[in-house]
Amino acid sequence: MAKPITVVVTGAAGQIAYSLLYQLAAGSVFGEDQPIDLRLLDIPPMMGVLEGVIFKVQGEALDKFAKKDVKVLVVGNPANTNALICSHYAPSIPKENFTAMTRLDQNRAQAALASRIGVSVDKVKNVIIWGNHSSTQYPDAAHATVDKDCVAHPVSKAINDDAWLNGEFVETIQKRGAAVIAARKMSSAMSAAKAAGDHMRDWWFGTKSNQFVSMGVVSDGSYGIPKDVVFSLPVTIKDKKYTIVQVNLYLPLLKEFHPI
């Protein structure tokens, strides 16, 4: 039997954690044969003035108690900023071990493209989310492909509607979170939990050949993004380490970046 790994879920009483825990317990994230030592943490209600430093406290705790190869996924918004804060207060842990979740946006973008083309979501690959998990993000289908008859075709050709791809599609993904909250009066917890599971599963097992995923990672200066800010970029993953994909891109309509 494999050696157990410790999995810590903070905010464990929240909606997203509630939907995530079954994935962890069922083996959907780290594999059916991987034992886990599941630790659930939460805090008493805090005064509003303290809410901005919760991730400072978590960073300090990680720095003091966690293994130095710990892999951290920040979901709580603003996820990019919170990941940066958490990393800052855990200086003994490599910065590349801290990530922010934009997989929810990637999943939404894939679903929108698949619906437009008329295929199942798993047929659409290599959609990129640039930037933040916020309305400033840029969902990019320029390098996305769709599998038809066992052949990968460019999504742009399959849809054949640049106006939709550069307009309605982008705006819909950028505003999807707000639309869900407006409709449900709460966030899309199950979708977010599914995305968190997807993110960690790929980080654990690696990405498939010729496929990349979007993760909020510490910038190395690629694509002109300032170094050391957390920014969603396309990555491939092997042996639990991600590599930023260097694709030859021109980003239409993206007039300014909002790194943190």
Side-chain angles (χ1 to χ4, degrees):
M1 180 175 290
K3 182 179 178 180
I5 60 172
T6 299
V7 179
V8 180
V9 179
T10 63
Q15 293 184 72
I16 294 176
Y18 180 82
S19 298
L20 175 62
L21 295 179
Y22 86 91
Q23 296 185 60
L24 296 171
S28 301
V29 178
F30 299 106
E32 296 181 357
D33 297 324
Q34 175 63 62
I36 63 173
D37 180 4
L38 187 59
R39 308 291 181 90
L40 307 181
L41 302 179
D42 215 318
I43 56 176
M46 298 179 69
M47 295 176 61
V49 70
L50 298 180
E51 290 180 355
V53 299
I54 290 175
F55 285 90
K56 173 180 180 291
V57 174
Q58 293 188 8
E60 291 172 338
L62 287 166
D63 194 57
K64 185 175 181 180
F65 297 109
K67 291 183 177 181
K68 302 315 172 187
D69 62 351
V70 64
K71 301 295 189 289
V72 180
L73 167 61
V74 176
V75 175
N77 284 321
N80 296 53
T81 301
N82 288 336
L84 190 64
I85 292 170
C86 200
S87 171
H88 177 78
Y89 287 98
S92 67
I93 298 172
K95 289 183 178 181
E96 60 267 24
N97 289 15
F98 291 84
T99 62
M101 189 173 81
T102 54
R103 187 58 172 266
L104 176 56
D105 307 296
Q106 178 189 313
N107 288 351
R108 287 169 171 167
Q110 286 179 220
L113 294 170
S115 176
R116 185 80 173 186
I117 298 169
V119 298
S120 58
V121 175
D122 64 305
K123 301 297 184 184
V124 177
K125 301 177 176 65
N126 293 350
V127 180
I128 302 173
I129 302 297
W130 303 93
N132 282 342
H133 174 60
S134 71
S135 60
T136 64
Q137 66 174 268
Y138 187 82
D140 174 20
H143 288 263
T145 61
V146 56
D147 292 340
K148 284 189 172 183
D149 301 323
C150 299
V151 177
H153 302 272
V155 159
S156 58
K157 290 187 177 180
I159 290 178
N160 195 29
D161 189 343
D162 289 345
W164 182 85
L165 283 172
N166 295 326
E168 183 180 340
F169 166 69
V170 172
E171 184 174 350
T172 297
I173 304 307
Q174 288 175 333
K175 297 181 178 180
R176 179 59 181 167
V180 170
I181 292 173
R184 300 183 67 240
K185 311 306 179 188
M186 60 182 69
S187 64
S188 52
M190 185 171 291
S191 297
K194 173 62 166 59
D198 292 343
H199 179 116
M200 292 307 299
R201 184 187 63 244
D202 285 342
W203 205 352
W204 183 258
F205 289 107
T207 50
K208 296 179 181 179
S209 178
N210 298 319
Q211 292 186 33
F212 46 78
V213 294
S214 296
M215 294 170 60
V217 300
V218 175
S219 170
D220 63 356
S222 295
Y223 303 104
I225 307 305
K227 288 185 177 181
D228 298 326
V229 300
V230 176
F231 197 92
S232 182
L233 294 164
V235 301
T236 55
I237 307 168
K238 183 178 181 181
D239 298 329
K240 300 180 177 61
K241 294 183 179 180
Y242 63 78
T243 301
I244 296 172
V245 176
Q246 302 297 323
V247 292
N248 182 18
L249 286 177
Y250 167 69
L251 302 181
L253 304 182
L254 186 55
K255 297 180 180 178
E256 60 180 10
F257 290 127
H258 299 267
I260 61 174

